[in-house]
Amino acid sequence: AALVQEELRLSGIAMAGPGNMPLAETTAGRILLGLARLVGSDLPRNEVIAWLTSCPVKAPEAHRLTFHPSNWDAISRKAGVVKGLYQWEQRLGQYAEDMERLAEEGVRLGDVPEARTARMKSEADATRALLDFVTGLTDRLKAPPDGSGWPDFTGWAQNLLTAYLDQTTANSREVEEAALRRVEDTLQEMRALDEVEAGPSFEGFRLALEEALATTS
C-alpha cells in the first residue's frame, strides 16, 4: 500500500483512500513528539540537534537569516556543548565572545583576511542566535505540572505545534496539512479524557499522546 501511494504521488495522480502513514511519522507528529521527549531532560546536545535537523522547525522571527540547523550543529559541537542548560549558556556565550574577539583582533592588527573576520563575526551572530533559541525552547518545554487537566496539557501541546512547526517546507503540502489537522483534532479529542482520568501526570499525557499518534493519517 505504501509503495502504491508513493508511486501515485510521484506520478502526480490524485488518489483517495485511507492513509498508511502513522501520524507520529508526519512532520506535525515528529515535531510534537520530539518536543515532548525533551521535556524534563537535561537537553542533550545530540537529541536537541537531532530534533532540529530532522524536522521542519520554524525559524525564529528574530533570527531568520542565521537559522541553519546544520550550522548550529557544527557550532554547538565546536563550543563543546554536551548537555545541560548551563553548558548551552556558558559554552555558547564563551564561543561567541571568542569569535568576536578574534575578529576584532584580526581587524586591528590587519593580519587576518577581511573575508575571514567576516566569517568569524557571522559565526558569533549564529552562536548567539542558537543560544536565544535554546533559551526560548527551555521556557516552552515547561509543561503543566502533574495533576493538571487534560485541556491544560493539550493546550500546551498545541502551542508547541504553533510555535515550532514550519509548514512552508513540507514535501507534500496537501498531505501534511491534512496530517496537521488530524494531529490537532487528536489533541482536541484528548481534552475529553478529563471525564475518564482527571489530573494525569505529564508522563501519562505523553504516553497517551504517543499512542494516539500511532494511528494512521
Side-chain angles (χ1 to χ4, degrees):
L3 180 59
V4 170
Q5 291 191 26
E6 179 66 10
E7 290 299 326
L8 289 172
R9 186 184 68 78
L10 292 174
S11 302
I13 300 174
M15 177 194 65
N20 67 300
M21 179 184 292
L23 288 171
E25 295 179 15
T26 64
T27 54
R30 286 186 287 119
I31 285 278
L32 188 53
L33 291 179
L35 287 166
R37 289 162 187 157
L38 287 173
V39 172
S41 74
D42 51 5
L43 296 179
R45 192 198 77 86
N46 62 326
E47 293 182 21
V48 173
I49 295 298
W51 171 74
L52 258 177
T53 55
S54 65
C55 298
V57 178
K58 185 187 300 182
E61 193 63 40
H63 303 296
R64 286 190 175 277
L65 297 179
T66 52
F67 181 73
H68 300 289
S70 58
N71 187 36
W72 283 3
D73 178 14
I75 287 173
S76 58
R77 187 183 296 111
K78 286 186 284 188
V81 175
V82 179
K83 61 182 178 181
L85 181 59
Y86 174 78
Q87 277 194 12
W88 284 100
E89 293 178 333
Q90 195 274 330
R91 297 185 183 185
L92 289 179
Q94 185 62 56
Y95 186 72
E97 290 178 6
D98 290 344
M99 288 296 100
E100 290 166 343
R101 176 178 51 79
L102 290 172
E104 289 171 3
E105 287 180 358
V107 171
R108 179 169 54 83
L109 297 175
D111 59 351
V112 178
E114 185 177 338
R116 186 177 176 188
T117 59
R119 284 196 300 272
M120 287 189 286
K121 290 178 181 178
S122 176
E123 183 132 328
D125 290 341
T127 303
R128 295 196 184 283
L130 172 56
L131 178 54
D132 286 347
F133 181 87
V134 172
T135 301
L137 178 64
T138 301
D139 290 337
R140 289 186 182 276
L141 286 177
K142 293 175 181 175
D146 288 354
S148 298
W150 287 92
D152 296 320
F153 284 113
T154 56
W156 166 81
Q158 178 63 62
N159 288 338
L160 286 180
L161 263 183
T162 302
Y164 290 108
L165 176 61
D166 183 2
Q167 295 176 262
T168 64
T169 60
N171 293 326
S172 178
R173 189 74 55 82
E174 259 184 49
V175 172
E176 290 298 347
E177 285 180 354
L180 173 59
R181 289 194 296 271
R182 284 288 295 114
V183 171
E184 292 178 328
D185 288 346
T186 297
L187 290 175
Q188 285 298 314
E189 291 164 5
M190 290 177 68
R191 296 171 66 90
L193 289 175
D194 252 358
E195 300 174 8
V196 179
E197 178 192 358
S201 64
F202 171 75
E203 185 64 13
F205 166 75
R206 186 181 66 79
L207 291 174
L209 180 63
E210 288 183 350
E211 183 176 347
L213 296 187
T215 59
T216 56
S217 58

